[in-house]
Amino acid sequence: MENVRGLLFRYRIWWHVIFWIVWYFFYIITYSQGEPFEKTQFIYNLYLLPVRMAATYSLIYWILPKFLFTKKYLIFFIITIIHGIVFGLAVTYTLAYASKSPVVEMVPYIRPLVLNYQIPATAVAIYMFKRWYLIQQITLNLQNEKLESELKLLKSQIHPHFLFNTLNNLYALTLKKSDKAPDMVIQLSNLLEYSLYSGKEPEVELHEEIKQLCGYIDLEKLRYGKRLDIKTQIPESTDGLMIAPLLLLPFVENSFKHGASNDIESPFIHIKMDVKNEKLFFNVTNSYQPVVGKPENYKEGIGLNNVRRRLELLYPGKHKLEITKGENVFEVHLIMDLRHDILKNEK
């Protein structure tokens, strides 16, 4: 888009020069009768060039902006008619002067003279198309800036949300004076470093995202110990695929915060991930204990809402997310197309 705009404006003068050269020779070829290029036509069109330029530029740079674009349609219509009449008279008198003929003798040439108005008309068509194109690009830029701002806001919400939950876990261990607290601090440090630095990047390597995801799981294992049945199935190879950072973590975090932490009987979390044909298949299944009398208490929090919106913005039409709630079971099924050109093209 920037290349097109640069082409339109950087060489603006040359576009005008080419425009007038094309029209100049068009009229010479069209109105030459005896020879292919009559000398008189060179002279006539040279005399007419200032008249045509004045009519064209007054129309596109004065009449259109002052009357049409300000929605003064009646005045625009009247001014345009006057403009056409004045232009026709100017062409007639200019040709009479160039050919040294009386103006009365120019009447038979009124029809071809009127055809001179196709120059301003063509210029208006080009001008309106360029204006429409630029408006579309400006609108698209504003939409992209809005989406980018929204993505930054969503990312900024992920960090404190994750930090808040993890600090609560750490606080619980320190109250128990658990020996696991130092290990949790180290794991937390690694995750914070990743979220603060790699989280700012548009894409990270999938294996790095998985590494941090496993780090978070290890951190939660320190908290729950053996009372939590957690199973993970992680691919050994990710084929060098890239992914937007911090997309998978909220699903796992949600399974611990809203599922395992509330299920006091037999909590479980099963995480399965697979990579096939540059597609990521990600499933999280966890138990949850509904509160009696409130069957709808398990709802999507900030984390899931944010990641859902980020998927819509970053991978439109390139992902499938299903979140289902069964009897005491909450499931997330995510399929993502991670071809290298996906995220790049969406930008």
Side-chain angles (χ1 to χ4, degrees):
M1 184 201 69
E2 292 298 330
N3 292 336
V4 175
R5 293 185 64 180
L7 188 64
L8 288 175
F9 290 98
R10 188 179 306 168
Y11 305 103
R12 185 176 181 179
I13 295 178
W14 288 109
W15 287 120
H16 285 254
V17 171
I18 293 173
F19 177 84
W20 290 111
I21 290 176
V22 169
W23 278 112
Y24 182 77
F25 284 99
F26 170 80
Y27 278 98
I28 290 175
I29 297 173
T30 301
Y31 290 97
S32 293
Q33 297 177 356
E35 302 176 6
F37 296 96
E38 292 182 356
K39 182 179 179 180
T40 55
Q41 289 299 324
F42 278 93
I43 296 174
Y44 291 166
N45 282 282
L46 190 61
Y47 273 95
L48 286 174
L49 185 60
V51 178
R52 291 166 174 166
M53 293 179 69
T56 300
Y57 290 128
S58 63
L59 180 60
I60 63 177
Y61 291 129
W62 179 63
I63 296 178
L64 290 182
K66 190 172 181 62
F67 302 107
L68 181 62
F69 298 158
T70 56
K71 299 182 180 180
K72 299 176 182 178
Y73 301 119
L74 180 59
I75 299 178
F76 168 74
F77 179 73
I78 296 173
I79 293 295
T80 303
I81 292 177
I82 296 174
H83 177 270
I85 294 173
V86 172
F87 177 53
L89 290 173
V91 170
T92 301
Y93 278 94
T94 301
L95 279 176
Y97 177 80
S99 62
K100 303 186 185 307
S101 303
V103 175
V104 178
E105 296 181 9
M106 301 303 297
V107 175
Y109 297 92
I110 291 297
R111 183 174 178 276
L113 291 178
V114 171
L115 292 178
N116 279 273
Y117 209 76
Q118 62 187 316
I119 298 178
T122 303
V124 167
I126 295 173
Y127 181 79
M128 294 297 288
F129 175 79
K130 185 179 73 172
R131 187 173 184 268
W132 171 84
Y133 174 79
L134 292 177
I135 290 175
Q136 295 299 313
Q137 296 306 312
I138 291 173
T139 303
L140 182 61
N141 280 342
L142 291 176
Q143 291 176 346
N144 288 337
E145 290 176 3
K146 181 181 178 181
L147 292 179
E148 185 176 352
S149 298
E150 186 175 353
L151 280 172
K152 289 181 179 178
L153 176 61
L154 292 175
K155 280 188 177 182
S156 68
Q157 291 176 342
I158 289 174
H159 299 161
H161 183 245
F162 159 73
L163 180 60
F164 175 77
N165 292 335
T166 308
L167 286 177
N168 276 342
N169 296 342
L170 180 59
Y171 177 68
L173 289 179
T174 54
L175 286 180
K176 299 177 182 179
K177 297 182 179 180
S178 172
D179 294 336
K180 300 177 181 178
D183 292 333
M184 179 172 279
V185 171
I186 295 176
Q187 292 284 7
L188 176 60
S189 175
N190 293 335
L191 286 169
L192 286 178
E193 182 180 6
Y194 176 77
S195 62
L196 291 175
Y197 295 102
S198 298
K200 294 180 180 179
E201 299 296 328
E203 288 182 297
V204 296
E205 294 183 1
L206 178 58
H207 78 83
E208 185 64 27
E209 179 81 358
I210 294 176
K211 177 182 176 182
Q212 300 304 322
L213 191 66
C214 292
Y216 177 80
I217 295 173
D218 291 339
L219 190 151
E220 290 287 13
K221 284 181 178 180
L222 293 174
R223 175 189 175 192
Y224 286 95
K226 295 182 179 180
R227 77 180 185 89
L228 173 63
D229 175 21
I230 179 167
K231 296 178 181 179
T232 60
Q233 184 176 333
I234 307 295
E236 296 181 359
S237 174
T238 58
D239 299 328
L241 295 176
M242 305 291 288
I243 189 174
L246 301 172
L247 275 178
L248 305 180
L249 181 60
F251 295 117
V252 178
E253 180 190 2
N254 189 79
S255 67
F256 282 97
K257 183 177 185 295
H258 298 289
S261 63
N262 295 329
D263 189 343
I264 59 175
E265 295 181 0
S266 56
F268 69 86
I269 296 176
H270 297 165
I271 300 170
K272 182 180 180 181
M273 189 183 306
D274 197 8
V275 175
K276 293 180 180 179
N277 299 322
E278 296 186 308
K279 288 186 177 181
L280 173 67
F281 299 85
F282 182 66
N283 300 307
V284 180
T285 305
N286 64 271
S287 60
Y288 78 96
Q289 185 69 47
V291 178
V292 179
K294 295 183 179 181
E296 300 297 327
N297 71 300
Y298 196 119
K299 297 180 180 180
E300 295 185 20
I302 295 175
L304 288 189
N305 285 330
N306 283 356
V307 75
R308 183 189 290 275
R309 181 55 179 161
R310 288 184 67 205
L311 284 168
E312 292 172 354
L313 295 175
L314 293 174
Y315 299 89
K318 305 300 179 182
H319 77 281
K320 182 179 180 181
L321 175 62
E322 294 182 354
I323 299 179
T324 58
K325 182 177 63 173
E327 185 177 353
N328 300 331
V329 176
F330 194 81
E331 296 181 84
V332 173
H333 302 280
L334 174 64
I335 301 176
M336 297 176 62
D337 192 337
L338 296 181
R339 284 177 294 170
H340 294 290
D341 59 333
I342 293 298
L343 198 56
K344 180 180 179 182
N345 288 341
E346 293 303 328
K347 292 181 180 181

